[in-house]
Amino acid sequence: LLRWRQVIPKYIDWQIERERSWRVAGTEIAVETRRGELTLRGRIDRLDRGGEGGGIVDYKTGITPHLDEVLSGEEVQLPFYVLLADQPVQRLEYLSLDSNRFGSRAVMEGETLRALAVQNGERLRAVMTQLANGAPAPAWGDDRPCRYCAMAGLCRRAVWLEAAASPTPPNI
């Protein structure tokens, strides 16, 4: 509550400025959609409507990914939301609610956004096809994302590290 109270004036200013182009259409939206043979599920923090389509905002109270991490495919949360949306998405962004770093981060629009969403969808389909064909689950190559992952109990990262160190593949 104390942290939120510090951010309220900044948030109100941000919202007033945003209302020039966007209107809130929904918050905490649970979405389930089919994309070919895949069923995708997620929860979008905020969906806005503007003249050219939708705007998706993901609120962050902690570490906010940088744009270069999103564009390189290391951070897939925002582009994944485009796959969930039932309308064209014109703008994606994280909104940092940290009082010292408040504001929009990793903003994507236009052709950059569309290309990234397509790449993310293609990568998802390729990984799911590989898994369906018996390939082992991929894992991150570094420790940084693992610190935040809720799937530590399911992760096969240790198997991949063993495989990388061994000349013969592990028996999975």
Side-chain angles (χ1 to χ4, degrees), residues 16 40 42 47 49 52 62 72 85 92 94-95 100 105 114 116 134 136-137 149 154:
I16 289 169
L40 307 178
L47 176 64
R49 299 220 192 278
E52 297 293 319
S72 72
L92 289 176
Y94 290 116
L95 181 62
N100 296 319
R105 303 282 184 262
R114 284 186 285 283
L116 185 61
C149 183
L154 299 175

Side-chain angles (χ1 to χ4, degrees), residues 157-168 170:
R157 186 170 190 273
V159 174
W160 281 82
L161 292 175
E162 290 173 17
S166 172
T168 58

Side-chain angles (χ1 to χ4, degrees), residues 14-93:
W14 177 87
Q15 180 60 39
I16 289 169
E17 179 64 29
R18 187 166 178 86
E19 283 183 7
R20 293 178 186 201
S21 302
W22 300 97
R23 295 289 182 260
V24 177
T27 58
E28 291 295 318
I29 304 164
V31 181
E32 181 174 308
T33 188
R34 296 276 306 166
R35 294 286 186 245
E37 67 284 353
L38 299 177
T39 300
L40 307 178
R41 292 180 190 94
R43 182 174 306 273
I44 297 173
D45 285 352
R46 175 175 164 163
L47 176 64
D48 291 352
R49 299 220 192 278
E52 297 293 319
I56 294 176
V57 178
D58 189 72
Y59 298 114
K60 291 294 182 194
T61 57
I63 296 172
T64 305
H66 296 279
L67 180 59
D68 61 334
E69 295 171 315
V70 177
L71 294 175
S72 72
E74 290 297 317
E75 293 288 343
V76 297
Q77 181 183 13
L78 282 179
F80 180 75
Y81 289 155
V82 176
L83 300 176
L84 292 176
D86 63 353
Q87 63 176 304
V89 177
Q90 182 59 32
R91 181 181 171 103
L92 289 176
E93 65 191 274

Side-chain angles (χ1 to χ4, degrees), residues 105-148:
R105 303 282 184 262
V107 177
M108 287 164 285
E109 296 180 301
E111 188 53 40
T112 300
L113 168 58
R114 284 186 285 283
L116 185 61
V118 167
Q119 291 169 358
N120 195 53
E122 289 171 352
R123 191 169 46 244
L124 177 61
R125 281 187 288 283
V127 168
M128 295 307 293
T129 299
Q130 292 167 359
L131 291 172
N133 290 330
W140 290 103
D142 63 42
D143 292 326
R144 195 175 58 87
C146 297
R147 293 181 294 188
Y148 309 104

